[in-house]
Amino acid sequence: MRRIISVLLENEPGALSRVVGLFSQRNYNIETLTVAPTEDETLSRLTVTTTGSDKVIEQITKQLNKLIEVVKLVDLTEGAHIERELMLIKLKATGSQRAEIKRTVDIFRGQIVDVTSSVYTVQLAGDSEKLDGFIQAVGTSGVLEVVRTGVSGIARGEKVLSL
Amino acid sequence: MELLSGADMLIRSLQDEGIEYVYGYPGGAALHIYDALFRQDKVKHILVRHEQSAVHMADGYARATGKPGTVLVTSGPGATNTITGIATAFMDSIPMVVLCGQVASTLIGEDAFQETDMIGVSRPVVKHNLSVRHPEEIPEVIRKAYYIAATGRPGPVVVDIPKDMTTPNERYEYAYPKKVKLRSYNPAIRGHAGQIKKAVDMLLAARRPIIYAGGGVILGKASDQLTELVRMLGYPITNTLMGIGCYPASDKQHLGWLGMHGTYEANMAMHHSDLILAVGARFDDRVTNATEKFCPGARIIHVDIDPASISKTVEADVPIVGPVDAVLKEMLSLVKEAKQKPDADALAAWWKQIGEWRAFHGMRYETSDDVIKPQEVIETLHRLTNGEAFVTSDVGQHQMFAAQYYKFDKPNRWINSGGLGTMGFGLPAAMGVKLTHPDDEVLCITGEGSIQMNIQELSTCKQYNLPVKIINLNNQALGMVKQWQDMNYESRHSQSYMESLPDFIKLAEAYGHKGVRIDSKADLESKLKEVLAMKDDLVFVDIYVDRFEHVYPMQVARGSMKDMWLSKTERV
């Protein structure tokens, strides 16, 4: 099962490598990983998506909690949550394709952020499935380049992950 | 406030931490520190001949005293040579601080002479590692390192110290912090009261209970509480290899240790139990055998300071996270207060069953009139030392024989590399023990394969007068490898012979020690007596033992707890 684990981490050199190292060392898989400092600059917020049975996920969270620099963590998939991923995608856009792509971008509520005579660069945010859906809709033959950030997640409602 | 250089702050911090011994080896990046060490006499430095031994010495010291060990080495090869020792301590949760010199911070990343990313290299085998970024931080970093190493589930902590952090040219105000506060590190100080109550109710209602104790009982200094609880309940107890000594082996409630080479009765009792109280033990694969066949009728109460150890390999029904001494103390008072008493009839029937297993196959081996059996050597040593010696071992058949036939009644006396299985551990560990227990008998039980992995330390023993007794069970082969090849590879002994063995007697003499050879059974006891009487000498005792002996009992691979070989021909 796919899980989203959100971690508050001391913002110190080497802390991220400890988290990443733990996954490879214990044979766990990282699907996506995003990390950036929070409003409190001593803390980083890290979102990792991974797959595994309940038993494996329990071990992952326990082992992460053992790391001295991990302050707090939560498995977002245990409750209602919002997840977003940002994609920048460069598409071949000539002739009739230009209008077609524009329409598809509007439907997916994306934005064209760069234009040349033959290329559109599109920015799109949403959950991973939506981004996959967009790529499918425009058809892979027109795709020149894709870059995705990996998932960021946050719990819905009052629940917060903070000190 | 006093002004000190980084190097002086480091040594002063060790003094303020109460560190008496540092085991190490100097080199370029650590020279400022070594100079600071030279200019004081509170912290004593022991110069080893290989950095790996420094770590094993610190490890042996820590296991025998319960205090964290300290290592000091230089950068690059000095630091990487410690990795095996650090991994050994990590697997067995031994508190330790390893101080590594590093090239100057201005050179880091330039592939400078003797540069290695020690933080990166050590990361998977440490509890934590720290690097010094400003000389002023040194006292705080050192305090933190010992705090992390010794609290919660103990473990090794590496501190990387760039050379420019210790330069004598710059001085800073020195103050050693009294307390450490780490917002992200809060080891449990007591177990959950509700869970403990539930566990005690289950314990008192059990019909075929067993207590399974591990190294955590020794590390958590909880032997007394465990012993009291086990005696009060009247239940059988078994322990892991690491837990040897946590409960007196000579007591009738003790079934011996369990697992791959554990006793028949311990493994049978575990398999047939209806309730397991696991204390400071982690259900290692050398204990459980195939986890899917593990103890089908048993519910499990698991007490451990490390939440990640609970339900890692075997699912626990009642998890209790907390220090074992505090949890056992609370269990004890609940058992005392409880109206319910253990079911006497059920318990009598359970002991009767265990008695039958014991009678069927207690520890035994076949003796011979001419060849010396390794088991006999250990039994003789146990008798001659009244079971009071500190015993370190290396890894292999001799380790299993030592653990099986030397009956330990006290904790902290059996010192071996249980988790990592490190050959070369025994001699340096024995040295660490002897240094702080000069009046106690310290035996290093080893084999001719293992001892050669750190034999250069005979030189260190001479320098510091460490009269340990090295008992070399010489079967002229890598015994455990050969046993597996006998059992699983139709006796194709690929690379398991030790050819061109040195003359260990002359070797010991070359280093300035005594050597004694025992090759006839008639001499065994008298010569060992002579050896033990040589109190002031390191004696290398080279004993020619049966070359074909196997270690039994032995669990059948991928079987349940109870599937065992009892001898070369008898399988149950």
Side-chain angles (χ1 to χ4, degrees):
Chain A
M1 200 185 141
R2 178 171 172 274
R3 299 293 191 110
I4 305 172
I5 298 167
S6 221
V7 185
L8 275 184
L9 191 67
E10 297 283 359
N11 186 7
E12 281 173 7
L16 178 62
S17 76
R18 253 183 253 283
V19 172
V20 175
L22 176 89
F23 274 79
S24 61
Q25 180 186 338
R26 294 192 179 265
N27 209 12
Y28 307 141
N29 182 43
I30 294 179
E31 249 165 42
T32 71
L33 176 71
T34 61
V35 58
T38 65
E39 78 287 355
D40 173 352
E41 62 183 24
T42 66
L43 287 173
S44 291
R45 170 89 173 228
L46 182 148
T47 313
V48 58
T49 61
T50 182
T51 48
S53 62
D54 288 352
K55 199 175 149 66
V56 169
I57 300 298
E58 187 186 331
Q59 262 304 304
I60 290 178
T61 54
K62 281 176 168 179
Q63 294 292 348
L64 280 172
N65 261 320
K66 264 175 83 171
L67 296 179
I68 307 286
E69 283 132 337
V70 168
V71 185
K72 244 181 186 177
L73 67 80
V74 63
D75 178 352
L76 288 176
T77 23
E78 278 180 345
H81 65 279
I82 302 159
E83 56 174 288
R84 288 289 180 273
E85 188 176 346
L86 177 72
M87 173 167 75
L88 293 172
I89 178 166
K90 202 169 269 193
L91 299 162
K92 204 189 299 169
T94 49
S96 64
Q97 281 175 316
R98 290 177 84 85
E100 180 63 29
I101 290 171
K102 178 89 176 58
R103 268 197 300 277
T104 315
V105 170
D106 287 343
I107 292 166
F108 277 84
R109 285 187 225 158
Q111 290 159 288
I112 298 173
V113 290
D114 188 45
V115 178
T116 71
S117 58
S118 61
V119 168
Y120 278 164
T121 303
V122 176
Q123 165 189 310
L124 196 65
D127 62 22
S128 308
E129 274 180 25
K130 178 178 163 179
L131 306 192
D132 294 342
F134 179 78
I135 296 174
Q136 223 170 15
V138 294
T140 43
S141 62
V143 177
L144 298 170
E145 189 179 354
V146 175
V147 53
R148 295 168 71 154
T149 59
V151 173
S152 267
I154 199 162
R156 282 189 184 276
E158 313 290 305
K159 222 161 107 185
V160 290
L161 176 64
S162 66
L163 291 185
Chain B
M1 225 180 258
E2 224 175 333
L3 291 177
L4 295 177
S5 74
D8 285 325
M9 281 202 282
L10 176 62
I11 300 302
R12 184 69 73 81
S13 298
L14 296 180
Q15 291 175 358
D16 285 345
E17 190 62 39
I19 304 305
E20 38 181 351
Y21 288 105
V22 173
Y23 310 91
Y25 205 99
L31 283 180
H32 297 322
I33 306 172
Y34 270 89
D35 190 57
L37 202 55
F38 187 85
R39 289 181 277 101
Q40 56 88 54
D41 53 12
K42 280 194 185 139
V43 177
K44 294 177 207 66
H45 181 272
I46 305 294
L47 175 69
V48 292
R49 302 301 181 260
H50 186 299
E51 287 90 350
Q52 184 185 339
S53 306
V55 189
H56 293 328
M57 255 187 113
D59 186 318
Y61 165 88
R63 292 186 206 227
T65 61
K67 293 188 261 184
T70 306
V71 175
L72 173 61
V73 295
T74 190
S75 64
T80 55
N81 274 349
T82 64
I83 290 294
T84 302
I86 293 172
T88 305
F90 180 64
M91 289 291 274
D92 291 343
S93 306
I94 304 304
M96 175 187 292
V97 172
V98 181
L99 307 164
C100 301
Q102 178 58 279
V103 300
S105 57
T106 49
L107 290 173
I108 288 177
E110 295 187 0
D111 300 327
F113 177 66
Q114 292 195 330
E115 180 191 352
T116 305
D117 169 18
M118 190 55 185
I119 294 292
V121 168
S122 66
R123 199 200 61 229
V125 292
V126 291
K127 181 171 176 188
H128 193 53
N129 53 24
L130 298 154
S131 52
V132 175
R133 294 199 176 79
H134 307 285
E136 310 96 290
E137 286 178 3
I138 286 175
E140 197 195 328
V141 168
I142 297 298
R143 182 73 203 93
K144 252 189 209 173
Y146 281 98
Y147 173 66
I148 294 170
T151 51
R153 179 177 182 171
V157 175
V158 161
V159 183
D160 202 44
I161 312 163
K163 191 170 184 182
D164 51 337
M165 301 296 133
T166 56
T167 171
N169 308 329
E170 294 166 32
R171 283 158 197 274
Y172 302 89
E173 287 186 352
Y174 173 84
Y176 197 62
K178 283 192 183 70
K179 271 193 177 165
V180 184
K181 187 108 186 71
L182 286 161
R183 63 179 167 183
S184 51
Y185 175 72
N186 298 295
I189 49 168
R190 55 178 302 177
H192 187 280
Q195 292 287 86
I196 296 176
K197 173 82 180 61
K198 196 169 155 193
V200 168
D201 290 345
M202 279 165 74
L203 261 179
L204 292 171
R207 301 181 65 80
R208 298 184 310 280
I210 187 162
I211 289 141
Y212 153 54
V217 174
I218 294 170
L219 290 163
K221 302 180 174 69
S223 291
D224 291 346
Q225 287 92 333
L226 177 79
T227 306
E228 195 181 341
L229 181 70
V230 171
R231 290 203 170 131
M232 192 178 297
L233 289 167
Y235 292 174
I237 175 168
T238 176
N239 52 254
T240 66
L241 184 73
M242 292 303 298
I244 285 177
C246 72
Y247 186 90
S250 56
D251 188 90
K252 60 182 190 314
Q253 279 170 255
H254 189 252
L255 308 186
W257 49 279
L258 82 171
M260 184 177 251
H261 294 294
T263 65
Y264 178 71
E265 53 269 34
N267 285 346
M268 288 295 275
M270 276 290 275
H271 184 84
H272 292 94
S273 65
D274 69 347
L275 183 76
I276 296 168
L277 169 61
V279 191
R282 61 189 175 95
F283 294 87
D284 179 63
D285 57 272
R286 281 295 191 268
V287 163
T288 61
N289 211 351
T291 49
E292 66 276 13
K293 296 175 192 163
F294 179 75
C295 301
R299 286 192 299 163
I300 295 169
I301 302 164
H302 193 174
V303 183
D304 206 295
I305 186 77
D306 176 9
S309 274
I310 296 175
S311 298
K312 184 173 65 183
T313 61
V314 168
E315 201 66 35
D317 296 282
V318 182
I320 302 172
V321 177
V324 286
D325 57 341
V327 173
L328 288 173
K329 220 166 153 185
E330 216 166 319
M331 283 188 165
L332 262 169
S333 63
L334 287 176
V335 170
K336 277 181 203 163
E337 291 162 14
K339 289 195 187 72
Q340 189 182 1
K341 298 292 163 213
D343 182 332
D345 292 342
L347 194 57
W350 182 224
W351 273 116
K352 184 169 171 281
Q353 172 68 74
I354 290 170
E356 284 166 19
W357 289 326
R358 251 183 192 156
F360 174 69
H361 192 89
M363 268 311 191
R364 61 165 180 251
Y365 56 93
E366 276 175 38
T367 52
S368 138
D369 285 338
D370 25 72
V371 285
I372 303 174
K373 291 285 180 175
Q375 299 94 325
E376 285 174 305
V377 179
I378 310 292
E379 284 188 318
T380 308
L381 285 167
H382 179 257
R383 197 168 55 245
L384 296 178
T385 56
N386 300 316
E388 294 282 326
F390 285 85
V391 177
T392 75
S393 89
D394 271 296
V395 170
Q397 286 184 323
H398 66 267
Q399 173 193 27
M400 294 299 127
F401 289 134
Q404 287 176 335
Y405 290 93
Y406 199 101
K407 307 287 180 197
F408 294 87
D409 282 342
K410 290 180 188 163
N412 306 92
R413 303 229 155 191
W414 164 244
I415 289 160
N416 85 127
S417 166
L420 196 68
T422 309
M423 289 170 74
F425 175 83
L427 175 57
M431 291 154 60
V433 178
K434 189 69 187 177
L435 197 63
T436 45
H437 297 83
D439 301 326
D440 286 293
E441 193 63 74
V442 180
L443 307 175
C444 165
I445 295 177
T446 185
E448 80 294 325
S450 286
I451 191 66
Q452 290 190 85
M453 285 212 180
N454 270 321
I455 201 159
Q456 74 286 346
E457 298 308 323
L458 285 173
S459 170
T460 310
C461 290
K462 185 67 193 168
Q463 180 174 352
Y464 297 99
N465 182 31
L466 299 170
V468 299
K469 303 289 180 279
I470 298 170
I471 312 294
N472 188 35
L473 300 184
N474 192 340
N475 60 359
Q476 298 155 69
L478 302 178
M480 193 58 94
V481 172
K482 192 168 153 225
Q483 174 169 344
W484 282 49
Q485 289 170 337
D486 284 338
M487 296 174 81
N488 304 321
Y489 300 89
E490 295 167 322
S491 293
R492 290 186 296 278
H493 296 150
S494 178
Q495 306 300 318
S496 56
Y497 287 109
M498 290 304 276
E499 285 176 357
S500 306
L501 283 177
D503 181 334
F504 287 111
I505 309 304
K506 281 188 186 159
L507 188 73
E509 286 167 1
Y511 278 108
H513 304 299
K514 300 268 162 59
V516 171
R517 178 164 293 122
I518 306 178
D519 50 14
S520 106
K521 186 169 165 169
D523 293 344
L524 180 66
E525 177 143 357
S526 60
K527 283 209 176 170
L528 282 179
K529 246 187 211 164
E530 280 171 33
V531 166
L532 293 170
M534 295 154 81
K535 293 278 174 220
D536 300 331
D537 296 300
L538 182 151
V539 188
F540 194 115
V541 194
D542 192 21
I543 308 179
Y544 280 66
V545 295
D546 186 348
R547 294 172 56 190
F548 305 102
E549 188 63 327
H550 282 183
V551 180
Y552 292 108
M554 181 170 180
Q555 281 176 334
V556 176
R558 305 298 308 153
S560 73
M561 291 292 293
K562 68 177 171 47
D563 299 318
M564 303 175 82
W565 289 99
L566 298 178
S567 69
K568 279 182 190 174
T569 50
E570 192 182 11
R571 185 180 155 163
V572 288

